[in-house]
Amino acid sequence: MSLVQPTSVSKPKAAPKTQAEAASPDEHATFKGRWLPWLFLAPTLIVLAIFSYYPAARTLRLSVFRANIFVGNEQFVGLGNFTELLSSPVYHQVVLQTLVFVVLVVVFGLLFALGLAWLASKPIPGARFYRLMLIYPYALSPAIAGTLWLFLFNPEVGPVNALLESVIGVKPRWLDNPLLAFGLVVVAAIWKGLGYNVVFYLAALQNVPAEITEAAEIDGATAWQSFWRVVFPLLSPMTFFLTFTNIVAALFDSFGLVRILTRGGPVYGETGITTFLVYKLYEDGFTFSKTGAAASQAVLMLLLVICIIVLQFRYGNRKVHYGA
């Protein structure tokens, strides 16, 4: 009979828990006082109040007055500014021109960006350099981009007209012809936003699983069929996002290009062919001193943006395919 008693084996001590592990799932950060969160938010709220909320409130108030900023008098007209604006043939033409401009910029801008992103996603020599050059236009400000296009298409000394004259013997007056001027602004706006769209499409294309396209090729799909029937549906979330961001950009970011290139002209019909909503607002407010009309246009554009946002988040997701 053995007199040796079995020794107890001591268990190794568990590593001390970290602070995150020690906290229970129900625990969350709390503030010691009721006013401490507001104190942290105060700088942001002050900036927003001064530069966003107060100007917006002043614009809403000004939209129901007919005012002269030089004399300093105001006359309450209620909805008179809106009634006059919505019944104006000039404003009708501006709305139609803006609609055509936005549709052209969004549709062709996304198509070109998607095609270039598809090409840039291929493993070719110098791919990084090509991607950088595609993104470069977005880094330019609208004013610099407009100046660049104004120099390129100058009818007398511009390199585009010099090339056309040497090849086919013509020197178009790009900024005097309504159709040419409108097309020039559309192409410049597409070029300006190309880099932004290419970046997002490149990121989306790189997230498409290679197994899906390989399976499509094994099933006998051509490169065109593989792209439009397999890859493009998987890009619908990104296309959905870019569609609405490009609509807003075409509505507001076109001001710099129009201001530098055409100043709203040339005249066509009731107003300039490149006078869009944002430029019409600028003209009425700062050129003709129609502050009431300009404020009412700002309110209408605000309502337009709200409608776009509502459509984006309420109806757009139903048509978007997120599955792989």
Side-chain angles (χ1 to χ4, degrees):
M1 184 175 184
S2 175
L3 298 177
V4 179
Q5 297 181 352
T7 58
S8 60
V9 180
S10 60
K11 297 182 180 179
K13 295 183 178 180
K17 294 183 178 180
T18 63
Q19 184 176 1
E21 294 173 346
S24 63
D26 295 331
E27 292 182 357
H28 56 275
T30 57
F31 294 96
K32 296 181 179 180
R34 178 181 297 180
W35 299 104
L36 187 59
W38 293 104
L39 180 63
F40 291 147
L41 292 173
T44 301
L45 293 177
I46 291 173
V47 172
L48 289 175
I50 295 175
F51 295 102
S52 295
Y53 303 145
Y54 177 73
R58 290 284 297 177
T59 301
L60 288 173
R61 179 187 179 277
L62 195 59
S63 65
V64 295
F65 283 87
R66 185 171 287 116
N68 190 317
I69 60 176
F70 298 105
V71 179
N73 59 348
E74 292 181 341
Q75 178 186 1
F76 179 77
V77 294
L79 298 178
N81 288 326
F82 295 95
T83 304
E84 181 180 351
L85 189 66
L86 295 176
S87 61
S88 171
V90 174
Y91 196 70
H92 294 167
Q93 180 180 336
V94 171
V95 171
L96 180 60
Q97 291 172 176
T98 306
L99 179 62
V100 175
F101 172 76
V102 169
V103 170
L104 292 176
V105 170
V106 172
V107 172
F108 288 101
L110 292 183
L111 285 176
F112 284 131
L114 180 58
L116 291 175
W118 174 256
L119 294 175
S121 65
K122 300 298 181 182
I124 57 176
R128 292 185 178 179
F129 174 77
Y130 298 141
R131 295 171 186 173
L132 179 63
M133 290 297 100
L134 290 174
I135 299 169
Y136 170 74
Y138 185 70
L140 300 176
S141 68
I144 295 177
T147 304
L148 177 63
W149 280 78
L150 183 63
F151 168 72
L152 290 174
F153 289 87
N154 186 289
E156 301 300 333
V157 298
V160 173
N161 268 15
L163 178 62
L164 291 176
E165 186 180 21
S166 63
V167 174
I168 58 178
V170 296
K171 296 177 65 175
R173 306 288 300 182
W174 297 96
L175 304 179
D176 297 335
N177 184 288
L179 184 60
L180 293 179
F182 188 87
L184 180 61
V185 174
V186 169
V187 175
I190 292 174
W191 175 83
K192 178 65 179 68
L194 196 63
Y196 179 87
N197 297 329
V198 167
V199 167
F200 281 94
Y201 268 135
L202 269 175
L205 286 169
Q206 291 174 353
N207 288 327
V208 174
E211 295 83 1
I212 297 178
T213 55
E214 292 174 358
E217 293 177 0
I218 294 174
D219 290 339
T222 63
W224 182 261
Q225 292 173 333
S226 176
F227 178 79
W228 285 111
R229 297 187 179 184
V230 177
V231 177
F232 185 72
L234 297 177
L235 300 180
S236 57
M238 188 59 67
T239 303
F240 167 72
F241 166 76
L242 290 176
T243 297
F244 286 96
T245 56
N246 277 255
I247 289 174
V248 176
L251 285 173
F252 294 97
D253 290 349
S254 60
F255 173 80
L257 293 174
V258 173
R259 177 65 178 169
I260 298 296
L261 281 173
T262 62
R263 295 182 180 270
V267 176
Y268 180 79
E270 301 290 339
T271 184
I273 189 68
T274 58
T275 300
F276 306 129
L277 286 174
V278 65
Y279 194 80
K280 174 67 174 172
L281 187 156
Y282 164 79
E283 275 191 332
D284 286 346
F286 295 95
T287 303
F288 304 122
S289 300
K290 298 179 180 179
T291 53
S296 59
Q297 291 176 53
V299 173
L300 290 178
M301 292 194 70
L302 173 62
L303 295 177
L304 177 61
V305 172
I306 292 174
C307 291
I308 292 173
I309 294 173
V310 170
L311 290 174
Q312 177 181 2
F313 289 100
R314 185 170 183 177
Y315 299 107
N317 286 331
R318 301 179 184 178
K319 303 297 182 182
V320 176
H321 172 71
Y322 286 91

